[in-house]
Amino acid sequence: MKALVTVTHPRKNSLTHAVMNRFVEGLKQNNHEVDLLDLDHDGFNPLYTAEDEKDWINPDKIYAPEVRKEMDRIAAADTLVFVFPLWQYSVPSMLKGYLDKVWNMGLFGKMGNKKVLWICLTGGDQEHMSKYNREGTLKHYLNVLVSGYARVQESRVELLYDTLSESEEHIASLLERAYQLGRE
Ligand SMILES: Cc1cc2nc3c(=O)[nH]c(=O)nc-3n(C[C@H](O)[C@H](O)[C@H](O)COP(=O)(O)O)c2cc1C
C-alpha cells in the first residue's frame, strides 16, 4: 500500500512532527510505501487565487503546476493521511488552503477508491472534546462534509488528546498510538 502522508505544523520539533515520524515508522515497519508532504516546509502556498477557481463548465480544466503536482501524488497513493494540530476546532489554515486548492473539482470521481485518515492532535483532553459534542462535530466535518464533498468513501478520524500534558508517560502513549496506527 502507498500512503501519502501530509503533515501541517510550522515547527519541525513539534509534537505534531514527532507523531508524524512515529506514524511513518509504523508504516515502514509493515513495508508500506510512504510519500511525505510537509506543507509548511516544502513551500506549499496555501493562498487561493483566481487561477485556482473551479471551472464549472470544463471539468478538464488545467490547474496550476503546483496543484497538478499534488493531484498526481494523490492519484499515485492508496491512502491519504493528514497529521495536524486542532486549531479553533478545525484544521490549520495551511491545511485548509491545501484542501481548497488541491481537493477541487479536478479530483471529483477520482477519490472513491482512496482511504483517508485524519490524525488530529487536540490540546483538550477526552472529556473536553466530548463536551458540547466537539469531537462528534469535528468527525462529522472531516468524515462526512470534507471527505464526502470529494466523494471519498472511507474516511476516519483519530484524535490524540491532551497534547499539552506535562506527563512524559502520556506523551509517550500518544507516540505509541501513532506508531500502532501506522502499523495498521
Ligand atoms: C492557534 C491555535 C489554536 C488552537 N486551538 C485549539 C482548539 O480549538 N482546541 C484544542 O483543543 N486545542 C487547541 N489548540 C492547542 C493545540 O491543539 C495544541 O497546541 C497541539 O495539539 C499541540 O501539538 P504541537 O505541540 O505539535 O503544537 C490550539 C493551539 C493553537 C496554537
Side-chain angles (χ1 to χ4, degrees):
M1 188 204 72
K2 183 169 182 178
L4 171 59
V5 179
T6 301
V7 64
T8 313
H9 198 288
R11 237 181 336 102
K12 282 213 175 199
N13 68 353
S14 60
L15 181 60
T16 301
H17 274 264
V19 161
M20 177 276 291
N21 284 327
R22 279 305 273 157
F23 178 80
V24 167
E25 280 169 26
L27 281 175
K28 288 185 175 166
Q29 177 72 30
N30 264 0
N31 298 317
H32 296 303
E33 209 183 323
V34 179
D35 181 12
L36 180 62
L37 168 59
D38 181 340
L39 288 173
D40 297 75
H41 302 96
D42 291 350
F44 185 81
N45 175 10
L47 196 66
Y48 191 92
T49 67
E51 195 191 358
D52 300 310
E53 279 189 297
K54 293 172 185 179
D55 185 335
W56 296 102
I57 296 163
N58 174 20
D60 299 321
K61 167 181 168 161
I62 306 292
Y63 290 91
E66 182 193 37
V67 173
R68 290 212 313 271
K69 180 180 144 202
E70 297 310 331
M71 289 168 121
D72 289 345
R73 290 171 84 171
I74 289 173
D78 306 295
T79 299
L80 314 176
V81 183
F82 295 94
V83 186
F84 58 96
L86 184 68
W87 284 2
Q88 317 304 344
Y89 297 96
S90 188
V91 298
S93 53
M94 172 62 96
L95 178 52
K96 181 62 166 47
Y98 168 89
L99 293 169
D100 290 344
K101 286 175 93 159
V102 182
W103 280 33
N104 64 24
M105 218 178 168
L107 281 182
F108 282 18
K110 298 175 190 163
M111 297 277 274
N113 60 346
K114 311 283 176 202
K115 290 181 184 170
V116 176
L117 173 62
W118 309 88
I119 301 178
C120 177
L121 289 86
T122 75
D125 62 16
Q126 197 163 1
E127 192 185 344
H128 174 89
M129 288 304 294
S130 65
K131 204 172 175 190
Y132 306 126
N133 198 27
R134 290 179 176 114
E135 177 164 343
T137 303
L138 180 68
K139 286 184 171 174
H140 181 79
Y141 172 66
L142 294 172
N143 285 332
V144 180
L145 305 184
V146 177
S147 289
Y149 188 58
R151 314 286 192 270
V152 170
Q153 282 168 15
E154 215 177 316
S155 173
R156 170 177 157 196
V157 177
E158 286 289 332
L159 298 189
L160 299 182
Y161 308 102
D162 200 7
T163 52
L164 303 173
S165 164
E166 287 176 8
S167 158
E168 282 178 24
E169 203 183 336
H170 177 67
I171 298 302
S173 77
L174 298 182
L175 294 171
E176 176 59 21
R177 176 88 188 111
Y179 179 68
Q180 293 305 334
L181 282 170
R183 285 182 53 114
E184 268 180 40

